[in-house]
Amino acid sequence: MEQKYTVDARGEQCPIPVVKTKKVLDGIQGDAEITVLVDNETAVQNLTRMGKHAGAEVLSEKKSDQEFQVIIRVKDQKPSETQEETVECIPDVRGDFVIAVDTAIMGRGNDELGKVLMKGFLFAVTQLEKLPKTMLFYNGGATLTTEGSDSLEDLKSLEAQGVEIKTCGTCLNYYGLTDKLQVGEVTNMYDIVETLAKAAKVVKP
């Protein structure tokens, strides 16, 4: 049976949330789920790194401006597995680059394959050592941030770690998705152009 734990680290600065969570993780045996509550993006970033380093599945979500939830799921955990690890506290893992997504599919050829590739691409972004500063979604890419998207979990995780998720309002309106946005905020073409112009690097899948 999966054990469930909750760590309330709201009001705590790094490395305290990581230390508290690691203490629970070190004592777990078997399958478990740890829900960590924090109030800053840096804590989410460091908890995510710690969880992944321990071989756990990590999910995170921004509940409000100062409320974040990180869920760490471990399988067949042994108490000794993480005891020798050093607690890391990295200030910010966002880089000065922007990812611009203008379609729900990746590449040309088969659209079904393109959807699979795009889902894989967005998941791969969550695994980067340096996360993007901003992700822009426009035209067909707007469907990826709305209800029914297979990538919402990954995008919510990125948002919780401080990545700005912005979707073109005109595009949402065109596709009839204005009320279906599930992650991030609505933006306009002026902001999109300014964001792209200021970026040190722009990546397009």
Side-chain angles (χ1 to χ4, degrees):
M1 180 181 294
E2 185 179 69
Q3 308 161 75
K4 292 185 180 292
Y5 302 86
T6 299
V7 176
D8 190 344
R10 288 172 293 187
E12 305 284 2
Q13 296 300 313
C14 190
I16 302 304
V18 176
V19 172
K20 285 185 172 181
T21 305
K22 186 176 181 296
K23 184 176 180 180
V24 174
L25 186 61
D26 285 347
I28 289 173
Q29 187 164 5
D31 297 348
E33 178 180 288
I34 307 171
T35 299
V36 190
L37 307 176
V38 294
D39 58 11
N40 63 89
E41 295 158 347
T42 302
V44 178
Q45 293 175 3
N46 284 282
L47 286 164
T48 300
R49 290 173 63 88
M50 186 270 290
K52 289 178 179 177
H53 192 260
E57 176 188 5
V58 184
L59 307 173
S60 55
E61 186 174 351
K62 182 178 182 179
K63 296 294 187 180
S64 66
D65 285 344
Q66 291 187 318
E67 185 179 0
F68 304 85
Q69 176 178 282
V70 181
I71 297 175
I72 300 173
R73 296 190 181 123
V74 294
K75 297 289 185 183
D76 300 320
Q77 178 79 3
K78 296 181 177 61
S80 61
E81 285 185 349
T82 61
Q83 287 177 352
E84 301 302 320
E85 294 176 10
T86 302
V87 173
E88 294 184 90
C89 187
I90 298 173
D92 199 328
V93 295
R94 289 176 297 172
D96 188 19
F97 69 99
V98 171
I99 293 180
V101 183
D102 62 2
T103 176
I105 60 177
M106 186 175 182
R108 296 180 176 86
N110 183 282
D111 286 353
E112 286 303 312
L113 174 59
K115 290 178 182 178
V116 172
L117 293 176
M118 181 60 78
K119 186 176 187 304
F121 173 84
L122 295 176
F123 170 75
V125 174
T126 69
Q127 306 300 301
L128 290 174
E129 284 294 316
K130 277 287 184 181
L131 299 177
K133 181 178 180 181
T134 305
M135 295 182 74
L136 300 172
F137 294 85
Y138 50 94
N139 207 327
T143 63
L144 295 169
T145 59
T146 55
E147 190 176 299
S149 168
D150 291 336
S151 294
L152 288 178
E153 194 174 271
D154 292 329
L155 294 176
K156 286 181 178 180
S157 177
L158 289 165
E159 181 185 39
Q161 294 181 72
V163 178
E164 296 175 328
I165 308 291
K166 297 184 176 183
T167 304
C168 165
T170 300
C171 307
L172 289 171
N173 183 60
Y174 180 85
Y175 288 113
L177 297 170
T178 302
D179 298 326
K180 304 292 186 181
L181 188 67
Q182 296 293 303
V183 59
E185 62 186 58
V186 177
T187 190
N188 55 61
M189 191 53 64
Y190 294 103
D191 184 50
I192 290 173
V193 170
E194 186 176 38
T195 300
L196 292 172
K198 289 181 177 180
K201 180 170 62 176
V202 176
V203 176
K204 289 188 67 177

